[in-house]
Amino acid sequence: MIPNSYAIFVILGVVTGSGRAATPISLSLGENHDYLVQGRLRKKGRKQVKYGNMAVDQCEEYCYKFGTVCADSDFFDESCMEDCLKFPRADTAPVYDLSFNPVDLGSDTINCRAIHLSFAIEFGGGGDLIEARKSADAAFHCGHASPGGEGICTDYSDTGVDDSPFRLMQRGGNYKYGACRITSDRTVANCMRSDLDDDSAADALKVLPSSVEHIFLHVNSLTRVPKNLGTNFPKLKSLYLDGNSIESVDASDFDGLRRLEILSLNVNPITYLPEDLLTEVRRLKTFSFFVPSGYGTSISNIPKNFFQYTKDIVNIIMYGHKGLTEFERGVFNDLKEVRIISFVDCSFTFDGFPKGVFDDLVSLEYFDFFLNDFSGKIPGDLFGSWARKVFRIVFWGNGNLNGIESGAFDNLRNVKKIFLHGTGIGADDVANVYVPSSAEVLTI
């Protein structure tokens, strides 16, 4: 049964050979949120937003599962259905197909949220929604499945989540433009799953207007970064190259992209990051380069000066790199705006954290290092005065952790959740050290 807070009354369309007929669907979306979704058009005030019936079906399932497993309506500004219908839908798989695609593990999409919700259910309850509700996995993944995305299912925007590149794409219309599609204001180019190789991508990008600010090139067959991006798109703010076959990158690939804020290289077989790669992109806010577990390739080093020109960077997301065992001293120097560092499923040990390596991360909120190779006790001096804004700490899945040194959590003034499940640390270990009263510590 769907929880009362997400009560939905649906008059289902007739299933035909071409999909559902455009029968009106009446939704009770919660207090003061009654709308009519008719076929593909929903009206609210002066705005008209297109939603397919499949999108409605998606959101019914999402809201039922979220309401059962996550049980926290505070995640939603309006109702679950209303917020869900605003989530962008990525073209990384056939339309409305939410089957798992590694490139969907990040970004502001329904795809990403659905994946993390499924993780909460499968890992937390073995497929049982009620069992999952009690789990640490739900406590972790529900935040990513929520409208805000909690740092993972979102993208940087200087005006807030409602203006993320994916949302601009969704709101801006969808007009064929050569091999790609662009928005009506000619600022967003969607070239996902367009069967582009290096040559055809060059042709496709050549005809796009120079006004384009966001380019999506997910799931094509690129082996290199397209050339002359800075010349052709001087206003470019975000570049998504996820799910291609790019093996190497060079600083010259990004010449002239002085306004770039998001660079996403996820799920590409890149094994080396040049020290000067980000020299031209000094306004960068998000650098995302993750690979799925078992991908087969990995970088083994982040150069000491890799981020030296990106002093305003906010998000560093680089999980899945099994070749990463340590940071170079100084790699995070002067990065005082960083909120997220996510190095999940790498091979770090505490010996791989040089003394003072995190000292300049004074705005950090998310410290994510689960599924690494940590062992022994969490060091007492790991979280220095720099950690006073840290909101979440994740060490789960580090099975060789077996304790916490005295003083380890003394500087955590703002922490709300510390994830230690899947380690050898138990409730007794937690009871023997100072833990801020604001924190929930999950050890099971």
Side-chain angles (χ1 to χ4, degrees), residues 398-438:
N398 287 282
N400 291 320
L401 281 179
N402 57 24
I404 309 169
E405 290 185 1
S406 177
F409 300 149
D410 286 4
N411 289 307
L412 301 175
R413 307 294 174 82
N414 194 49
V415 69
K416 297 296 186 292
K417 291 183 178 178
I418 302 174
F419 291 89
L420 301 174
H421 58 299
T423 72
I425 299 173
D428 290 344
D429 298 298
V430 175
N432 289 328
V433 297
Y434 167 78
V435 177
S437 59
S438 62

Side-chain angles (χ1 to χ4, degrees), residues 185-200:
D185 64 0
R186 299 160 66 92
T187 62
V188 184
N190 177 6
C191 308
M192 299 186 205
R193 287 199 318 120
S194 296
D195 295 322
L196 300 175
D197 58 19
D198 295 324
D199 292 335
S200 58

Side-chain angles (χ1 to χ4, degrees), residues 20 58 86 155 214 266 275 291:
R20 293 189 184 276
Q58 256 181 26
K86 295 176 182 176
D155 293 284
H214 310 280
N266 303 325
E275 185 172 66
V291 293

Side-chain angles (χ1 to χ4, degrees), residues 89-361:
R89 281 139 178 86
D91 292 335
T92 51
V95 177
Y96 302 130
D97 177 3
L98 294 187
S99 57
F100 178 74
N101 186 325
V103 303
D104 291 327
L105 283 167
S107 292
D108 181 17
T109 64
I110 181 66
N111 312 55
C112 181
R113 292 173 173 89
I115 287 172
H116 282 277
L117 186 53
S118 72
F119 287 170
I121 295 167
E122 294 302 322
F123 300 150
D128 185 289
L129 273 61
I130 301 302
E131 286 300 313
R133 181 173 181 165
K134 309 169 188 175
S135 70
D137 291 279
F140 178 78
H141 287 290
C142 282
H144 299 322
S146 73
E150 208 166 67
I152 298 298
C153 293
T154 185
D155 293 284
Y156 175 81
S157 169
D158 57 6
T159 57
V161 68
D162 284 344
D163 288 324
S164 74
F166 275 96
R167 299 204 183 212
L168 294 174
M169 177 177 66
Q170 173 157 294
R171 290 201 306 264
N174 191 18
Y175 303 94
K176 187 72 174 172
Y177 207 101
C180 304
R181 307 188 78 86
I182 65 169
T183 52
S184 58
D185 64 0
R186 299 160 66 92
T187 62
V188 184
N190 177 6
C191 308
M192 299 186 205
R193 287 199 318 120
S194 296
D195 295 322
L196 300 175
D197 58 19
D198 295 324
D199 292 335
S200 58
D203 293 337
L205 295 175
K206 190 184 304 180
V207 302
L208 292 177
S210 62
S211 57
V212 166
E213 298 178 7
H214 310 280
I215 297 178
F216 298 92
L217 281 161
H218 300 64
V219 195
N220 283 289
S221 300
L222 306 182
T223 65
R224 62 176 183 266
V225 178
K227 296 184 180 300
N228 302 316
L229 290 172
T231 301
N232 295 333
F233 307 106
K235 298 180 180 180
L236 198 66
K237 292 183 178 180
S238 64
L239 176 62
Y240 294 83
L241 294 161
D242 306 36
N244 282 283
S245 300
I246 299 170
E247 296 184 353
S248 64
V249 286
D250 186 84
S252 62
D253 292 334
F254 310 111
D255 280 353
L257 295 179
R258 293 180 177 84
R259 300 189 184 188
L260 196 71
E261 296 177 340
I262 298 173
L263 176 58
S264 188
L265 299 171
N266 303 325
V267 197
N268 278 287
I270 298 166
T271 57
Y272 172 72
L273 295 176
E275 185 172 66
D276 61 351
L277 183 69
L278 306 180
T279 300
E280 288 279 310
V281 292
R282 302 191 180 202
R283 294 190 185 182
L284 198 68
K285 299 296 192 296
T286 293
F287 179 76
S288 186
F289 175 32
F290 65 71
V291 293
S293 181
Y295 186 63
T297 62
S298 166
I299 60 169
S300 58
N301 178 57
I302 303 172
K304 173 183 177 180
N305 295 321
F306 187 70
F307 297 110
Q308 66 176 323
Y309 297 111
T310 59
K311 301 304 184 187
D312 294 327
I313 197 165
V314 175
N315 307 314
I316 300 173
I317 301 170
M318 298 183 66
Y319 50 83
H321 292 282
K322 285 297 188 182
L324 283 178
T325 62
E326 61 182 0
F327 291 123
E328 291 196 27
R329 190 182 304 274
V331 68
F332 298 126
N333 279 5
D334 298 323
L335 302 187
K336 300 182 184 302
E337 303 300 322
V338 170
R339 292 180 56 243
I340 299 169
I341 54 172
S342 182
F343 289 89
V344 172
D345 197 21
C346 297
S347 299
F348 285 97
T349 66
F350 290 125
D351 289 339
F353 293 169
K355 187 174 180 58
V357 70
F358 303 122
D359 281 0
D360 284 353
L361 300 181

